Amino acid sequence: MKQRVITAVVALILFIPVIFVGGITLDIVAMLLGAIAMSELLVMRKKLLISFEAIVSMLAVMIQIAPNKWFNGLPDQLNKEYVVYFLVILLLLHTVWSRNRFSFDDAGMLTLGVLYIGMGFNYFTAARGVSVYMLLFLMFIVWLTDSGAYMVGRKLGRHKVTPISPNKTWEGCIGGSVIGVIVASAFAIGFHVGYASVVSMVLITLVLSVVGQFGDLVESALKRYYGVKDSGKILPGHGGILDRFDSMLLVFPIAHLFGLF
């Protein structure tokens, strides 16, 4: 627990200033975090991080996260999405010349990782482009829901949600969402984030709280499939980047879908 707390404090000291600075600093940090998250998928898949597929997939996810304005100088037919598509095609071609060392299943898993990680971090930076309060609001939903679920689950948890994540209980999930919705909604209303209607804001916050919990379960399913406890070891006591951002990778794209930014 001590190591976990120390890591959290150090991470916040380093990360919070980046959030407030925003701009190109946050874009670069998000791209690096995306590349690390992609490397964690590669390690789960038992792929070398200096292999062709690793270099191509990490490059693809960084391009997916990069701001669209960085590609304004390219011809219209070479927009950012096409560049990512071209890199995916390279992964597919690699299944041909790798002599079965790299399979179609490998290519599919890495392509899904590029979309999952890339889109998540892309909308992470897009939220900061609206305001620091929008970004903090969405992060608070995840943090408060997660912390609330842990505390309520320990005290009142009786009914398991799914064998994929045996420590999660319905009581914890519901309690986490209640805490997340109350506090995050109050923050949103206080700082005029999102919709003008209080009812709409509360309902959106509730949906995003639930989505965040599904994001956590998705990563639990991924780790169980590959037989690992944590996605990585970069954060002592916390695991990897995917372990810390799993909920956010779903919350931010859905928040964009709801028109928050």
Side-chain angles (χ1 to χ4, degrees):
M1 179 60 73
K2 181 179 178 181
Q3 185 184 53
R4 188 179 179 89
V5 171
I6 292 173
T7 300
V9 171
V10 172
L12 286 173
I13 290 173
L14 295 174
F15 194 57
I16 293 299
V18 173
I19 289 175
F20 277 91
V21 170
I24 190 171
T25 302
L26 182 61
D27 292 332
I28 292 173
V29 169
M31 291 168 67
L32 291 175
L33 290 174
I36 295 170
M38 196 71 208
S39 74
E40 292 171 356
L41 286 184
L42 287 156
V43 170
M44 287 188 213
R45 192 73 180 180
K46 294 181 170 55
K47 299 297 180 183
L48 293 174
L49 296 183
I50 57 171
S51 61
F52 176 83
E53 59 267 25
I55 294 170
V56 170
S57 58
M58 284 193 281
L59 180 60
V61 83
M62 292 176 75
I63 291 174
Q64 185 70 58
I65 297 168
N68 292 331
K69 62 185 179 182
W70 289 12
F71 299 85
N72 286 344
L74 293 177
D76 291 341
Q77 65 270 29
L78 288 178
N79 56 30
K80 184 175 80 171
E81 287 72 23
Y82 187 86
V83 174
V84 173
Y85 172 74
F86 175 77
L87 292 172
V88 170
I89 293 299
L90 288 182
L91 289 176
L92 292 175
L93 292 174
H94 190 41
T95 65
V96 177
W97 66 61
S98 67
R99 299 179 182 179
N100 294 323
R101 183 187 62 79
F102 183 77
S103 68
F104 190 84
D105 285 345
D106 292 326
M109 185 265 196
L110 295 182
T111 300
L112 183 59
V114 169
L115 291 174
Y116 166 55
I117 297 168
M119 296 295 284
F121 278 112
N122 178 262
Y123 287 119
F124 177 86
T125 59
R128 175 60 182 88
V130 174
S131 74
V132 69
Y133 299 114
M134 175 63 74
L135 181 57
L136 288 174
F137 162 63
L138 296 173
M139 295 177 74
F140 283 160
I141 293 174
V142 172
W143 289 341
L144 292 164
T145 300
D146 185 56
S147 298
Y150 175 76
M151 292 186 293
V152 174
R154 284 193 64 185
K155 294 290 184 181
L156 305 175
R158 297 290 184 274
H159 301 88
K160 304 296 183 182
V161 174
T162 170
I164 293 246
S165 187
N167 293 327
K168 290 192 180 301
T169 63
W170 283 108
E171 293 85 355
C173 290
I174 294 170
S177 285
V178 169
I179 292 171
V181 168
I182 291 173
V183 182
S185 295
F187 176 88
I189 294 166
F191 287 93
H192 306 289
V193 176
Y195 291 95
S197 167
V198 173
V199 174
S200 297
M201 199 67 248
V202 170
L203 290 175
I204 291 293
T205 304
L206 175 60
V207 172
L208 293 178
S209 175
V210 173
V211 167
Q213 296 193 59
F214 273 111
D216 186 49
L217 290 172
V218 166
E219 212 239 341
S220 294
L222 176 67
K223 291 188 292 186
R224 182 167 285 261
Y225 180 79
Y226 285 107
V228 298
K229 182 178 182 295
D230 297 314
S231 66
K233 300 178 180 179
I234 193 171
L235 300 170
H238 290 264
I241 297 302
L242 281 175
D243 290 314
R244 291 302 90 205
F245 285 87
D246 52 3
S247 297
M248 296 185 196
L249 292 178
L250 292 192
V251 165
F252 281 91
I254 298 302
H256 173 76
L257 180 66
F258 281 123
L260 287 179
F261 56 89

